[in-house]
């Protein structure tokens, strides 16, 4: 499994011979100017919620790739009504796709489209594939629901927001990593704008002091599990 960071909360995942894009907000992010969305491959687009900084490039990428949009029922229906391929899910449900199993799990946040349309309830994803399992938290507060994840799935990586103000901060993300029983963390949803700027060295040190590994990938770089 290969995971590429496209800035903010945008990810590319290669797993089981398929390409997945998560929460594409690229063209609106000056820090991701080197990423060409027209060059991205996508069999699936996973969306945690409907905010503009998570869905900005969905339609452009879906038009280019004919990708299946996977999200909650409201978001999937929103795009299906525009003629896009979609797969609706809801909290606690899972589905076996051709790259692995995906479960839609709870997140505490808000969710509405930039045009004001209702975006359903926000969520995160647990992906089980190629003998490696990951948790993509989405935008969320720290929640006890995270403790449910390791009851079903042993994680190899947890992808957690750490930017504070709109989501968890670093300290809460450390607790979240305890809840999901995973000490290997990829941080995201930070530095895109002033409200969520972080001190990189301090954040890494705080995780290290708890015996955990926080990775902060430069935009465009990847890690492999």
């Amino acid at each position: 499994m290969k995971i590429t960071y496209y800035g903010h909360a945008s990810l590319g995942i290669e797993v089981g011979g398929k390409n997945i894009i998560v929460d594409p907000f690229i063209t609106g992010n000056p820090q991701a100017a080197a990423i060409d969305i027209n060059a991205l491959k996508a069999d699936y687009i996973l969306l945690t919620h409907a905010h503009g900084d998570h869905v900005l490039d969905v339609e452009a990428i879906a038009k280019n790739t004919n990708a299946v949009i996977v999200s909650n029922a409201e978001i999937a229906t929103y795009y299906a009504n525009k003629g896009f391929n979609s797969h609706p899910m809801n909290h606690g449900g899972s589905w076996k796709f051709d790259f692995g199993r995906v479960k839609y799990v709870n997140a505490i946040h808000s969710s509405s489209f930039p045009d004001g349309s209702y975006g359903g309830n926000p969520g995160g994803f647990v992906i089980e594939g190629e003998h490696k399992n990951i948790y993509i938290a989405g935008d969320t507060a720290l929640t006890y629901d995270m403790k449910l994840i390791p009851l079903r799935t042993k994680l190899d990586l947890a992808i957690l927001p750490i930017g504070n103000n709109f989501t968890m901060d670093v300290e809460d993300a450390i607790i979240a990593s305890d809840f999901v029983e995973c000490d290997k963390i990829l941080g995201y949803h930070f530095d895109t704008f002033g409200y969520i700027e972080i001190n990189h060295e301090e954040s890494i040190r705080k995780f290290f002091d708890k015996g955990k590994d926080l990775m902060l990938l430069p935009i465009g770089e990847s890690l492999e599990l």
Side-chain angles (χ1 to χ4, degrees):
M1 184 184 290
K2 181 178 180 181
I3 300 169
T4 302
Y5 182 54
Y6 293 132
H8 196 52
S10 303
L11 305 165
I13 302 172
E14 297 175 37
V15 56
K18 299 296 180 180
N19 291 280
I20 303 165
I21 301 291
V22 181
D23 286 356
F25 173 73
I26 299 169
T27 59
N29 181 4
Q31 298 174 16
I35 306 298
D36 178 9
I37 65 168
N38 295 312
L40 297 180
K41 297 178 180 179
D43 299 290
Y44 298 90
I45 300 172
L46 271 56
L47 303 177
T48 62
H49 64 293
H51 286 165
D53 62 332
H54 293 255
V55 304
L56 178 67
D57 297 314
V58 170
E59 295 187 22
I61 294 172
K63 285 177 182 176
N64 286 342
T65 63
N66 204 33
V68 178
I69 297 167
V70 180
S71 192
N72 66 35
E74 291 81 4
I75 292 174
T77 299
Y78 176 92
Y79 287 111
N81 288 339
K82 292 189 168 193
F84 294 100
N85 297 322
S86 68
H87 180 103
M89 300 190 74
N90 220 318
H91 297 83
S94 62
W95 188 261
K96 185 168 176 50
F97 292 92
D98 52 5
F99 60 84
R101 182 172 295 278
V102 175
K103 186 172 186 177
Y104 191 65
V105 297
N106 287 347
I108 297 179
H109 196 59
S110 53
S111 180
S112 59
F113 285 95
D115 65 8
S117 298
Y118 177 53
N121 292 316
F125 296 99
V126 175
I127 300 175
E128 299 178 355
E130 283 188 346
H131 308 294
K132 298 294 182 180
N133 305 322
I134 66 172
Y135 167 47
I136 303 169
D139 284 12
T140 187
L142 178 66
T143 168
Y144 257 85
D145 289 335
M146 293 172 178
K147 285 179 171 256
L148 299 174
I149 291 171
L151 297 181
R152 290 284 302 269
T153 305
K154 179 174 175 53
L155 297 174
D156 297 285
L157 178 72
I159 302 172
L160 304 177
I162 58 172
N164 203 5
N165 195 71
F166 299 110
T167 69
M168 297 186 292
D169 61 6
V170 167
E171 286 78 7
D172 278 354
I174 291 171
I175 298 171
S177 69
D178 288 335
F179 284 2
V180 300
E181 298 179 11
C182 185
D183 293 335
K184 189 171 185 176
I185 309 301
L186 176 62
Y188 79 162
H189 206 279
F190 65 92
D191 281 359
T192 316
F193 32 83
Y195 284 122
I196 60 173
E197 291 178 353
I198 66 167
N199 182 310
H200 290 213
E201 290 185 2
E202 181 181 278
S203 299
I204 292 169
R205 178 185 55 77
K206 286 180 177 180
F207 272 84
F208 180 81
D209 288 346
K210 297 294 184 178
K212 301 172 186 291
D213 180 17
L214 173 66
M215 294 169 286
L216 302 178
L217 289 177
I219 293 173
E221 293 200 6
S222 306
L223 64 87
E224 295 200 33
L225 297 177

